[in-house]
Amino acid sequence: MERYERGDQFIEFEQVLSMLRLRAGKIGTPGKEDRRFHPSSEASIQAEMELRTRLLREGYRRVTGAGGELLLGAEPPGPASPRALLLDARGDAVLREPVPEPAPRPKDLASEVLGDALGDAVRAGDLAGLEWEGRMLRAVSVVYDGSGLVDPLEFDTLAALLQSGGRKGLRRLEVSVMTEASEFAHVLQPFLEHGVPSSLRHLVLCTFDNIEGFLATRADVTALLPALRDLERLELQAGQVTFDRVDLPELRDFQLRTAGLGRDTLRTLSAARWPALDRLTLWFGSPRHGGDCRVEDLAAVLDGEHFPRLRHLRLMNATFTDELCEALVSSRLLPRLRSVDLSLGLMTDEGARTLARHAAALGHLQKLSLVNNALTHEGEALLAATSLPVELSGPGHHGRNDSVEHFVPLSQGDGYMYLFQPGDAP
């Protein structure tokens, strides 16, 4: 496990298969442990590398688990391939690892195509994940990872990008905010002032790695939605997300991940017409954070009238998953679905019995994900005995959940963090 320290704070982490385990807190205390799960081992390794880079940029120093500080040095030039040395406090080499590759060409290309200011933003990590097609920028992530309240001036990077030649041909844009901002209006303002690139097809907005920021943020995207009619994929993530009207005729994939999904927002979403929607993801969250939805509020979704092409349905992080199982197995939408995801909720063995009893109605599914619910081993065994393509937590699951608040979405992909205090049973 690697350990980094800054002032009186420490962070330790290690990568285990697709999981990144972290422990952070005040030096001299056990700290709080988080577990971040990613879609694959490769994604977890990439997240570990990005975390390491971020910590060093924020002034953390890498130390060993018990004490001695590690210093990064360079091996004298020679015929062998360049290596980096990690030295302990006495100057003895304790680890050798490859020297990072020189800055990749996209950073140079960014300065050339986007201008020096945005080129500097790439080097600082405020613009990341650049993908190019020749000299045309196709994908980019705008990252804000400051501390404290967001200053509107900090969003000059997004405004500059939307005014640069980089907007021409841009197809994927992710705005990732990792601060404790309680408002997201500053993020929307550059879009409202400078417009959404006409070529944009995939927008990821309001995504947080900072847990407190995620829970506190309120994002009203009503003013922005009319400019997104050409999008094919939209991901919105915040403690609460609200909008008054939805008209996105080209959208194929809609993901709404919240700490608490409000009933009014769900009703607005259910009343919209989604002629092309193939995938729908909803995180319902906790009543303590505004999640006042009930299973009856999903009636219009499960009826399927407004979702003629919906094939993949993910109703996640719900406190009412048992009732949802009952509504799902008798819904008009179910025969058209290819996959269902009810993960990270509070499904008990009662929900498992409902699904097992209606296995014939679910038999056409290619995937049924029930990962990290409140099932006992008996409930999991009951489902495993069916012929359903069920995905369960397996022997390493976290145990019986008593709250959906254990789960916080990551800012990239389908990953999530599982939160628990030291001493909690894993």
Side-chain angles (χ1 to χ4, degrees), residues 19-130:
M19 179 186 72
L20 188 59
R21 180 186 293 121
L22 300 94
R23 186 182 296 275
K26 192 172 183 179
I27 295 174
T29 70
K32 181 178 179 180
E33 183 167 307
D34 301 338
R35 296 183 179 186
R36 303 185 177 190
F37 295 82
H38 298 83
S40 65
S41 297
E42 291 76 11
S44 181
I45 293 171
Q46 179 64 29
E48 179 189 34
M49 294 172 62
E50 292 174 356
L51 175 61
R52 186 182 295 113
T53 300
R54 177 182 168 191
L55 291 176
L56 292 174
R57 189 171 69 238
E58 293 179 354
Y60 281 85
R61 298 180 302 164
R62 181 179 178 182
V63 300
T64 59
E69 183 178 354
L70 297 177
L71 306 175
L72 185 62
E75 194 172 81
S81 60
R83 308 285 288 181
L85 302 181
L86 289 176
L87 311 177
D88 64 17
R90 296 172 299 181
D92 296 330
V94 294
L95 181 66
R96 294 171 180 261
E97 39 185 45
V99 171
E101 294 286 334
R105 180 174 175 268
K107 294 185 179 181
D108 301 327
L109 191 58
S111 295
E112 185 179 343
V113 175
L114 306 179
D116 291 338
L118 291 179
D120 290 341
V122 174
R123 283 180 279 275
D126 297 331
L127 283 180
L130 283 76

Side-chain angles (χ1 to χ4, degrees), residues 1-5 9-13 26-29 61-67:
M1 184 173 275
E2 294 186 41
R3 180 181 175 101
Y4 289 75
E5 295 179 357
Q9 299 295 312
F10 78 90
I11 296 179
E12 296 177 344
F13 60 88
K26 192 172 183 179
I27 295 174
T29 70
R61 298 180 302 164
R62 181 179 178 182
V63 300
T64 59

Side-chain angles (χ1 to χ4, degrees), residues 96-167:
R96 294 171 180 261
E97 39 185 45
V99 171
E101 294 286 334
R105 180 174 175 268
K107 294 185 179 181
D108 301 327
L109 191 58
S111 295
E112 185 179 343
V113 175
L114 306 179
D116 291 338
L118 291 179
D120 290 341
V122 174
R123 283 180 279 275
D126 297 331
L127 283 180
L130 283 76
E131 296 179 11
W132 296 87
E133 185 176 310
R135 295 173 58 84
M136 190 79 73
L137 182 62
R138 291 303 194 188
V140 64
S141 297
V142 183
V143 182
Y144 298 102
D145 60 357
S147 59
L149 295 177
V150 172
D151 187 317
L153 296 178
E154 293 184 13
F155 290 89
D156 283 351
T157 300
L158 178 57
L161 177 67
L162 294 176
Q163 296 176 83
S164 73
R167 68 175 289 145

Side-chain angles (χ1 to χ4, degrees), residues 258 260-263 266 282-287 290-299 302 314-328 342-348 350-351 354 373-374 403-404:
T258 70
L261 180 58
R263 187 178 301 170
L266 179 58
L282 301 177
W283 278 54
F284 292 94
S286 167
D292 58 357
C293 293
R294 295 178 300 210
V295 68
E296 51 264 34
D297 299 315
L298 278 163
L302 296 177
R314 308 177 73 195
L315 304 176
M316 303 170 62
N317 203 222
T319 59
F320 49 87
T321 315
D322 280 350
E323 295 90 337
L324 185 54
C325 290
E326 287 281 1
L328 176 68
L342 304 178
S343 298
L344 315 186
L346 298 186
M347 180 191 296
T348 67
E350 182 60 33
T354 298
N373 270 279
S403 169
V404 297

Side-chain angles (χ1 to χ4, degrees), residues 65-380:
E69 183 178 354
L70 297 177
L71 306 175
L72 185 62
E75 194 172 81
S81 60
R83 308 285 288 181
L85 302 181
L86 289 176
L87 311 177
D88 64 17
R90 296 172 299 181
D92 296 330
V94 294
L95 181 66
R96 294 171 180 261
E97 39 185 45
V99 171
E101 294 286 334
R105 180 174 175 268
K107 294 185 179 181
D108 301 327
L109 191 58
S111 295
E112 185 179 343
V113 175
L114 306 179
D116 291 338
L118 291 179
D120 290 341
V122 174
R123 283 180 279 275
D126 297 331
L127 283 180
L130 283 76
E131 296 179 11
W132 296 87
E133 185 176 310
R135 295 173 58 84
M136 190 79 73
L137 182 62
R138 291 303 194 188
V140 64
S141 297
V142 183
V143 182
Y144 298 102
D145 60 357
S147 59
L149 295 177
V150 172
D151 187 317
L153 296 178
E154 293 184 13
F155 290 89
D156 283 351
T157 300
L158 178 57
L161 177 67
L162 294 176
Q163 296 176 83
S164 73
R167 68 175 289 145
K168 183 180 180 181
L170 186 63
R171 297 189 63 83
R172 183 184 189 278
L173 173 60
E174 176 178 336
V175 182
S176 181
V177 180
M178 300 179 227
T179 72
E180 296 180 5
S182 60
E183 278 291 341
F184 208 69
H186 298 321
V187 179
L188 301 182
Q189 195 59 37
F191 291 105
L192 299 178
E193 290 183 0
H194 308 296
V196 175
S198 60
S199 58
L200 196 67
R201 295 296 178 266
H202 182 182
L203 177 62
V204 184
L205 190 62
C206 201
T207 59
F208 290 82
D209 255 354
N210 179 292
I211 299 166
E212 292 78 11
F214 169 71
L215 295 177
T217 298
R218 305 294 179 260
D220 186 345
V221 297
T222 300
L224 180 62
L225 288 184
L228 304 180
R229 286 177 53 85
D230 293 330
L231 280 189
E232 296 176 359
R233 183 173 180 183
L234 177 61
E235 301 177 49
L236 301 173
Q237 178 173 308
Q240 290 184 16
V241 179
T242 57
F243 38 76
D244 292 341
R245 184 172 179 270
V246 179
D247 184 13
L248 300 171
E250 302 298 324
L251 207 66
R252 269 76 167 162
D253 186 344
F254 181 62
Q255 300 183 31
L256 182 60
R257 298 185 287 264
T258 70
L261 180 58
R263 187 178 301 170
D264 290 341
T265 298
L266 179 58
R267 286 173 178 167
T268 301
L269 183 153
S270 302
R273 296 201 173 273
W274 305 82
L277 196 69
D278 178 68
R279 296 176 181 270
L280 175 63
T281 300
L282 301 177
W283 278 54
F284 292 94
S286 167
R288 292 205 317 140
H289 298 293
D292 58 357
C293 293
R294 295 178 300 210
V295 68
E296 51 264 34
D297 299 315
L298 278 163
V301 174
L302 296 177
D303 178 76
E305 180 182 354
H306 291 183
F307 303 85
R309 296 189 179 181
L310 190 64
R311 298 295 180 267
H312 305 278
L313 181 62
R314 308 177 73 195
L315 304 176
M316 303 170 62
N317 203 222
T319 59
F320 49 87
T321 315
D322 280 350
E323 295 90 337
L324 185 54
C325 290
E326 287 281 1
L328 176 68
V329 295
S330 59
S331 70
R332 295 176 58 185
L333 178 63
L334 178 60
R336 305 205 309 259
L337 296 177
R338 296 176 183 171
S339 70
V340 172
D341 190 337
L342 304 178
S343 298
L344 315 186
L346 298 186
M347 180 191 296
T348 67
D349 289 357
E350 182 60 33
R353 284 189 284 271
T354 298
L355 297 180
R357 190 167 59 249
H358 294 86
L362 299 162
H364 66 286
L365 293 177
Q366 299 171 358
K367 181 179 179 181
L368 175 60
S369 182
L370 307 176
V371 171
N372 290 324
N373 270 279
L375 297 171
T376 68
H377 291 295
E378 288 75 14
E380 291 191 344

Side-chain angles (χ1 to χ4, degrees), residues 359 363 365 383-390:
L365 293 177
L383 289 166
T386 70
S387 59
L388 296 175
V390 63

